[in-house]
Amino acid sequence: MKSGASAPPLGRPLAAGPEPDDRYADVGRLLITCPDRPGIVAAVSQFLFEAGANITESQQYSTDPFGGTFFLRLEFHLDGLDRRAGDLGERFARMADRFSMRWKLTRAAGLKRVAIMVSRTDHALQEILWRAQSGELRADIRMIISNHTDAGEAAAWWGLPFHHIPVTPETKDAAETAQLRLLAGEIDLVILARYMQILSPRFLSEFTAPIINIHHSFLPAFAGADPYRRAAARGVKLIGATAHYVTAELDAGPIIEQDIVRVDHRCSADDLRRLGRHVERAVLARAVGWHLEDRVIVHQNSTIVFS
């Protein structure tokens, strides 16, 4: 580890995956989006009741109760869900057609396979790895990909595969081809933990699973290099961070989470940078956690987050 970096707690390497937890074995999650109309909650509740399920959490939201769009997240317990999930989904699909539902049924025990992409700065990477090791983030972290070698020590410490793929303007296409080859069929979520390269439209069209990015919230006023020094020179009073899904339009994807910290004239550029990293770590971890727990529904270019 680099000097000053804190060692993670002793335990299983992340490559071994989280310890099995029987609390999640028979827990299912149902996410629903459909036109708002009477009877939706009653129909879904009745379906789960007849299947023998017990609803343990329910959250809902409507853009307009009179003709808007309705969103519902249910968490339920059903004995033998692992073997019954396929049949449950087939039967729910027939009922869902009556309400023109877009829906997703998942098992809480089915961990999402995650790849983390990072450049030189590792504060966001280390936060995700620590929370995964401590059990706060239930994820199957499969690999770390970087265009620099700096994160190699962290990957080795946590017992994770590390793939160094340099990127230059001349090699960007070949580098993305190599990255896509690693991710194809193996990854359900990519986390850009301060990966300082823009993913090309080709990359985004070929890798269709979600990608979550984190960046400081000075944009667009302080876009580009050394934003904290320019922010300090302008006397900013707030700094923050934004976590969002990645789309082809740069930094314009659906926002999952944001936060700020108040600063004042006594803060140097280094102070702002340190505080900015603190808020980036927290915002990214919350966004990733909500995604892993199926608490986010994307609607147009926005999100409904049942946190």
Side-chain angles (χ1 to χ4, degrees), residues 8 78 102 117 120 122 201 211 214 220 255 262 271-272:
L78 178 62
R102 289 187 288 110
M117 298 177 70
R120 285 198 165 102
D122 69 352
I211 303 172
I214 183 72
I255 293 171
R262 183 167 289 279
D271 292 330
L272 297 185

Side-chain angles (χ1 to χ4, degrees), residues 146-148 163-168 171-172 174-176 179 195:
S146 181
N147 55 324
H148 296 282
H163 303 279
H164 174 222
I165 303 176
V167 181
T168 68
T171 65
K172 184 177 180 66
E176 288 196 338
Q179 293 166 349
Y195 180 65

Side-chain angles (χ1 to χ4, degrees), residues 58-73:
S58 177
Q59 296 184 71
Q60 65 190 60
Y61 169 72
S62 177
T63 60
D64 184 347
F66 304 98
T69 302
F70 182 76
F71 306 90
L72 175 66
R73 180 189 185 273

Side-chain angles (χ1 to χ4, degrees), residues 158-206:
W158 293 98
L160 291 168
F162 179 73
H163 303 279
H164 174 222
I165 303 176
V167 181
T168 68
E170 295 75 25
T171 65
K172 184 177 180 66
D173 190 64
E176 288 196 338
T177 297
Q179 293 166 349
L180 288 166
R181 190 177 300 117
L182 289 170
L183 300 173
E186 298 294 326
I187 298 299
D188 304 307
L189 170 69
V190 167
I191 302 170
L192 303 183
R194 300 300 287 163
Y195 180 65
M196 307 307 290
Q197 293 286 326
I198 298 172
L199 300 178
S200 71
R202 177 181 77 95
F203 186 103
L204 297 176
S205 66
E206 294 188 27

Side-chain angles (χ1 to χ4, degrees), residues 5-58:
S6 58
L10 296 177
R12 286 153 50 101
L14 282 172
E19 293 279 5
D21 192 331
D22 292 340
R23 293 176 301 169
Y24 297 96
D26 293 317
V27 175
R29 296 165 181 156
L30 192 57
L31 274 69
I32 295 168
T33 303
C34 63
D36 201 348
R37 52 174 276 195
I40 299 169
V41 175
V44 175
S45 300
Q46 183 67 25
F47 172 86
L48 291 173
F49 169 74
E50 292 175 354
N54 180 40
I55 297 173
T56 56
E57 183 179 335
S58 177

